[in-house]
Amino acid sequence: MSKLVITQDIEQSHLEQIQAIIPSWEIVAGRDSSVWLDHLKDAEVIVGWKKEIADRCIFSDSKLRWLQSWSAGVNSMPLSDMEKKQVLLTSANGVHAYPISETIFALMLGLTRKIHTYVRNQQEKKWHHSDMKLEIHEKTIGIMGVGHIGKETAKIAKAFGMTVLGVRHSGREEDYVDEMYTTDRLSEVLPRCDYVVVTLPLTNETHHLFGANEFKQMKSSAFFINIGRGEIVVEDELIEALRSGEIAGAGLDVFTKEPLDENSPLWDFENVIVTPHTSGSTEHYTKRVIEDIFIPNLKSYAQGGVLPKNVVDYKKGY
């Protein structure tokens, strides 16, 4: 009998939908590791990466053929070993488009309209204008990485009448993006942007893509938003750019080391908003992973077909 392991708690209705697609399979589901740990080696399909899967399924003999990640990013997994083992990997890419694009604009608007400053003032019961004057309307946004999140961000930007510049590996045009560039033309984009938004995955190509040179190319009035991965940025050089006034401020959801060290100056900068890697959090997360990605893929898998959604290209790393 084939076995499916789901390392998350999911609703009974979803379990029933899944069982209807693979009626002869055994399904093991639950968030607690005691539920699924002893079943990993026998699982043909696993939903939700856990560190225990590496030793039990990737670095040793197992029946694993397909793993559905619970996250969009897969850079923490042993990708080269999974490729050698010919394990199909699908990501949760696209699940985050609504919540993360909302967070991006929350950070942009918060910095522009000084909401973070006023929250601090409120805590001190201080009635102060704080030199608030900027608008977001009709400014220029540069979106680094125009995938699901980048596309939704571009769409929202158009409601503010913004000029949208996009940067993507392929350079392929996209709706709501006025001008698209490839990554090697980053230096043409950065000097024009009032907001630089990083939505890229972490790969060999994007590691430390943003450092002192890139911050020097940005306007001194520009804001930097990173909801991609911390390692895309040389964090010490970002700190220096913020400290020296080379850029106006930053909204940061991801960091080189997480949790962010309590001694990091990023906590104390008045021109920085820190969120604890929560930009993708949403009430609809489980529903979107299961209904929008896993079930369509499972239907195809059960019929011996090609998986239609979110298959990771091991060479690209996403």
Side-chain angles (χ1 to χ4, degrees), residues 21-22 296-307:
I21 298 166
I22 46 172
N297 276 342
L298 184 63
K299 286 177 180 176
S300 182
Y301 184 88
Q303 295 166 4
V306 175
L307 303 189

mmCIF file of all heavy atoms in Angstrom, residues 21-22 296-307:
data_model
loop_
_atom_site.group_PDB
_atom_site.id
_atom_site.type_symbol
_atom_site.label_atom_id
_atom_site.label_comp_id
_atom_site.label_asym_id
_atom_site.label_seq_id
_atom_site.Cartn_x
_atom_site.Cartn_y
_atom_site.Cartn_z
ATOM 1 N N ILE A 21 -9.116 11.034 -3.998
ATOM 2 C CA ILE A 21 -8.227 10.998 -5.168
ATOM 3 C C ILE A 21 -7.350 9.743 -5.133
ATOM 4 O O ILE A 21 -7.066 9.141 -6.171
ATOM 5 C CB ILE A 21 -7.344 12.260 -5.208
ATOM 6 C CG1 ILE A 21 -8.211 13.511 -5.356
ATOM 7 C CG2 ILE A 21 -6.340 12.196 -6.371
ATOM 8 C CD1 ILE A 21 -7.474 14.815 -5.060
ATOM 9 N N ILE A 22 -6.926 9.335 -3.921
ATOM 10 C CA ILE A 22 -6.066 8.149 -3.762
ATOM 11 C C ILE A 22 -6.713 7.204 -2.738
ATOM 12 O O ILE A 22 -6.220 7.023 -1.622
ATOM 13 C CB ILE A 22 -4.638 8.557 -3.328
ATOM 14 C CG1 ILE A 22 -4.676 9.602 -2.185
ATOM 15 C CG2 ILE A 22 -3.848 9.100 -4.512
ATOM 16 C CD1 ILE A 22 -3.296 9.912 -1.578
ATOM 17 N N PRO A 296 -4.492 19.742 -7.038
ATOM 18 C CA PRO A 296 -4.339 19.645 -8.501
ATOM 19 C C PRO A 296 -3.149 18.781 -8.909
ATOM 20 O O PRO A 296 -3.234 17.999 -9.860
ATOM 21 C CB PRO A 296 -4.144 21.106 -8.930
ATOM 22 C CG PRO A 296 -4.792 21.908 -7.862
ATOM 23 C CD PRO A 296 -4.556 21.150 -6.594
ATOM 24 N N ASN A 297 -2.034 18.909 -8.176
ATOM 25 C CA ASN A 297 -0.860 18.085 -8.478
ATOM 26 C C ASN A 297 -1.127 16.615 -8.172
ATOM 27 O O ASN A 297 -0.704 15.723 -8.921
ATOM 28 C CB ASN A 297 0.348 18.573 -7.675
ATOM 29 C CG ASN A 297 1.067 19.725 -8.351
ATOM 30 O OD1 ASN A 297 0.906 19.966 -9.542
ATOM 31 N ND2 ASN A 297 1.871 20.451 -7.591
ATOM 32 N N LEU A 298 -1.807 16.359 -7.062
ATOM 33 C CA LEU A 298 -2.088 14.966 -6.672
ATOM 34 C C LEU A 298 -2.972 14.271 -7.699
ATOM 35 O O LEU A 298 -2.773 13.085 -8.004
ATOM 36 C CB LEU A 298 -2.739 14.933 -5.285
ATOM 37 C CG LEU A 298 -3.007 13.527 -4.716
ATOM 38 C CD1 LEU A 298 -1.695 12.770 -4.501
ATOM 39 C CD2 LEU A 298 -3.794 13.625 -3.405
ATOM 40 N N LYS A 299 -3.944 14.998 -8.235
ATOM 41 C CA LYS A 299 -4.827 14.405 -9.257
ATOM 42 C C LYS A 299 -4.012 13.952 -10.462
ATOM 43 O O LYS A 299 -4.225 12.856 -10.995
ATOM 44 C CB LYS A 299 -5.895 15.426 -9.685
ATOM 45 C CG LYS A 299 -6.983 15.649 -8.649
ATOM 46 C CD LYS A 299 -7.966 16.725 -9.116
ATOM 47 C CE LYS A 299 -9.068 16.948 -8.076
ATOM 48 N NZ LYS A 299 -9.975 18.063 -8.465
ATOM 49 N N SER A 300 -3.076 14.780 -10.871
ATOM 50 C CA SER A 300 -2.227 14.428 -12.009
ATOM 51 C C SER A 300 -1.283 13.285 -11.646
ATOM 52 O O SER A 300 -1.084 12.350 -12.425
ATOM 53 C CB SER A 300 -1.436 15.654 -12.459
ATOM 54 O OG SER A 300 -0.651 15.355 -13.587
ATOM 55 N N TYR A 301 -0.716 13.338 -10.449
ATOM 56 C CA TYR A 301 0.220 12.304 -9.994
ATOM 57 C C TYR A 301 -0.463 10.939 -9.942
ATOM 58 O O TYR A 301 0.119 9.924 -10.371
ATOM 59 C CB TYR A 301 0.746 12.683 -8.608
ATOM 60 C CG TYR A 301 1.788 11.745 -8.059
ATOM 61 C CD1 TYR A 301 3.133 11.934 -8.350
ATOM 62 C CD2 TYR A 301 1.434 10.685 -7.229
ATOM 63 C CE1 TYR A 301 4.109 11.082 -7.835
ATOM 64 C CE2 TYR A 301 2.386 9.826 -6.714
ATOM 65 C CZ TYR A 301 3.724 10.028 -7.015
ATOM 66 O OH TYR A 301 4.679 9.171 -6.506
ATOM 67 N N ALA A 302 -1.698 10.917 -9.434
ATOM 68 C CA ALA A 302 -2.434 9.652 -9.302
ATOM 69 C C ALA A 302 -2.727 9.015 -10.656
ATOM 70 O O ALA A 302 -2.893 7.790 -10.752
ATOM 71 C CB ALA A 302 -3.732 9.891 -8.533
ATOM 72 N N GLN A 303 -2.766 9.851 -11.695
ATOM 73 C CA GLN A 303 -3.038 9.353 -13.045
ATOM 74 C C GLN A 303 -1.749 9.144 -13.846
ATOM 75 O O GLN A 303 -1.786 8.871 -15.049
ATOM 76 C CB GLN A 303 -3.945 10.346 -13.783
ATOM 77 C CG GLN A 303 -5.337 10.461 -13.165
ATOM 78 C CD GLN A 303 -6.110 11.680 -13.678
ATOM 79 O OE1 GLN A 303 -5.633 12.407 -14.554
ATOM 80 N NE2 GLN A 303 -7.285 11.911 -13.112
ATOM 81 N N GLY A 304 -0.598 9.310 -13.165
ATOM 82 C CA GLY A 304 0.679 9.110 -13.838
ATOM 83 C C GLY A 304 1.095 10.271 -14.716
ATOM 84 O O GLY A 304 1.970 10.135 -15.575
ATOM 85 N N GLY A 305 0.471 11.431 -14.497
ATOM 86 C CA GLY A 305 0.760 12.596 -15.332
ATOM 87 C C GLY A 305 1.848 13.485 -14.757
ATOM 88 O O GLY A 305 2.373 13.245 -13.668
ATOM 89 N N VAL A 306 2.178 14.532 -15.511
ATOM 90 C CA VAL A 306 3.164 15.521 -15.079
ATOM 91 C C VAL A 306 2.519 16.468 -14.077
ATOM 92 O O VAL A 306 1.357 16.867 -14.245
ATOM 93 C CB VAL A 306 3.682 16.320 -16.306
ATOM 94 C CG1 VAL A 306 4.621 17.438 -15.867
ATOM 95 C CG2 VAL A 306 4.381 15.390 -17.289
ATOM 96 N N LEU A 307 3.250 16.822 -13.035
ATOM 97 C CA LEU A 307 2.703 17.754 -12.042
ATOM 98 C C LEU A 307 2.577 19.136 -12.672
ATOM 99 O O LEU A 307 3.556 19.677 -13.189
ATOM 100 C CB LEU A 307 3.605 17.824 -10.807
ATOM 101 C CG LEU A 307 3.876 16.505 -10.077
ATOM 102 C CD1 LEU A 307 4.600 16.769 -8.761
ATOM 103 C CD2 LEU A 307 2.587 15.735 -9.811
#
